[in-house]
Amino acid sequence: MKNKWQRIFLCAVCITMFFGTCVVAAGTNHMSDLVGFFQDIDVPRDMTVYGSAIAIFGDVQMQGAVNGDVVAIFGSVEIDGPVRGNVVAVFGDLHLTQKAAVNGDAVHILGGKMTEEPGVIVNGQKINLAGFGFNGLPGVGILLVIFILITLAKIMIDYLISIIAVLVFPERFDKMATAVFDNTGRKLLIGILAILGFYILSAVLIMVIIGIPFMLLLMPAMALLSFTGNTAVKLAIGKKVGSGREKPWSQMMELFIGTVLYALVEITLVGKTITFLAKAAGIGAVIDSRAGNGNPYAQGPIGFITKEQNEEKYIGESKE
């Protein structure tokens, strides 16, 4: 069963890539597949489709006959006639009228609802997986809602892990956050070069068998670097916002405020570019400060007091 639906999905994607837009034939017969991309498919009562009817980001309204499958991804399906294959609705409603006769399975996945009138014939299985309330919402709207939910879930998980990381390494993250807004252009350049270097090195390693083990080590290392950079940026944002306060925020409050502001930007598609640059600056700060192990303050000339410690400390010369 699983392999069959994988083939149906891959078939839908491949057909969409080759044909792109909806092709509607005139007359009572259509001798190939009907495919719609961001368009609805309408099969009139006097038409027979000798293939499949597939809509991506569109609805399928079928009153005639289809000798193949009827598939809608991010769209709804209404069947009011015979279908020799399967009927599949993903992220949309599935409605079977009393004239619907499905020789295969009727499958509804992650959509609004699956309804059927008395007298419906389904020779295969009726499968309804995790239907929920997206009634009346177009396919693009559903995709946008899913994108926002996934982004929010990612932000929450990152925030919880960031709390643990900051609690374990408070001083290091404080130094990295301080370094973000110190010569930001330099940090941004370092971060972008690190990201580009990762992708170039990954492409080189994946071409040779001997490089695959190194690739398996490189990926989690880059993921850890990206997470640390993001956390440093969120802390830096919180520090910047709270810098004018008479009583400074705690590190946890800085992280919370920075995460909220970061999320408000990241949740929009346009904001992804901004958060990418922010992450690059964070990665640059992590690298430039040696993961908070270096001195985030500029070192003064010989004979001047440094800010590294709260006590007077001279470099290279005595007070005398």
Side-chain angles (χ1 to χ4, degrees):
M1 174 67 69
K2 182 179 178 181
N3 291 334
K4 179 168 68 175
W5 295 121
Q6 286 178 344
R7 289 196 299 271
I8 292 173
F9 180 78
L10 290 174
C11 179
V13 173
C14 290
I15 292 173
T16 303
M17 291 175 62
F18 278 102
F19 294 97
T21 57
C22 181
V23 179
V24 180
T28 57
N29 294 328
H30 187 71
M31 305 307 296
S32 61
D33 296 322
L34 276 176
V35 181
F37 191 67
F38 285 100
Q39 293 188 14
D40 298 335
I41 291 179
D42 186 13
V43 181
R45 194 168 298 280
D46 60 346
M47 177 183 285
T48 299
V49 178
Y50 292 94
S52 296
I54 301 170
I56 313 293
F57 295 103
D59 300 333
V60 179
Q61 179 85 20
M62 202 218 78
Q63 295 177 323
V66 175
N67 278 8
D69 300 315
V70 176
V71 180
I73 302 175
F74 293 107
S76 299
V77 175
E78 181 173 328
I79 304 298
D80 191 29
V83 178
R84 179 169 293 183
N86 305 290
V87 175
V88 182
V90 182
F91 294 117
D93 297 333
L94 174 58
H95 180 58
L96 304 173
T97 70
Q98 59 183 354
K99 294 182 180 179
V102 181
N103 190 50
D105 300 327
V107 181
H108 174 250
I109 302 174
L110 296 173
K113 58 185 177 179
M114 177 178 178
T115 57
E116 57 179 276
E117 298 178 3
V120 170
I121 299 174
V122 178
N123 292 329
Q125 294 179 308
K126 296 178 184 178
I127 302 172
N128 187 13
L129 298 177
F132 49 87
F134 279 152
N135 299 339
L137 198 63
V140 177
I142 295 173
L143 185 61
L144 182 61
V145 170
I146 293 171
F147 168 78
I148 292 174
L149 291 176
I150 293 174
T151 302
L152 288 175
K154 176 181 174 296
I155 290 170
M156 287 299 299
I157 294 172
D158 286 348
Y159 175 61
L160 294 175
I161 300 175
S162 294
I163 290 175
I164 298 172
V166 172
L167 287 174
V168 175
F169 304 105
E171 294 182 1
R172 288 201 172 203
F173 274 100
D174 187 64
K175 289 180 179 180
M176 287 186 285
T178 302
V180 170
F181 289 117
D182 180 19
N183 198 353
T184 306
R186 169 186 166 87
K187 306 301 188 301
L188 183 60
L189 179 60
I190 293 173
I192 291 176
L193 290 176
I195 294 171
L196 290 177
F198 166 74
Y199 286 112
I200 294 172
L201 185 58
S202 298
V204 173
L205 290 175
I206 207 168
M207 291 180 185
V208 291
I209 297 178
I210 196 172
I212 294 177
F214 295 99
M215 182 68 187
L216 296 176
L217 295 174
L218 183 64
M219 290 179 66
M222 187 62 191
L224 179 61
L225 181 60
S226 297
F227 164 77
T228 307
N230 267 332
T231 303
V233 165
K234 293 168 187 176
L235 271 174
I237 293 172
K239 280 181 178 293
K240 197 73 172 178
V241 174
S243 60
R245 291 174 51 86
E246 183 176 342
K247 184 178 180 181
W249 279 325
S250 66
Q251 205 171 31
M252 287 296 105
M253 180 58 73
E254 291 173 349
L255 178 62
F256 174 75
I257 296 297
T259 299
V260 171
L261 296 177
Y262 193 93
L264 291 176
V265 177
E266 189 177 26
I267 206 168
T268 63
L269 291 173
V270 177
K272 283 289 185 182
T273 303
I274 299 174
T275 54
F276 169 78
L277 295 175
K279 181 176 74 172
I283 291 174
V286 174
I287 296 172
D288 201 43
S289 67
R290 291 178 292 168
N293 197 33
N295 182 12
Y297 301 104
Q299 185 171 317
I302 294 177
F304 283 79
I305 301 174
T306 68
K307 296 180 181 179
E308 186 177 6
Q309 298 178 351
N310 292 328
E311 61 183 4
E312 292 184 356
K313 179 180 178 182
Y314 285 74
I315 300 177
E317 294 182 7
S318 64
K319 283 186 177 182
E320 299 178 0

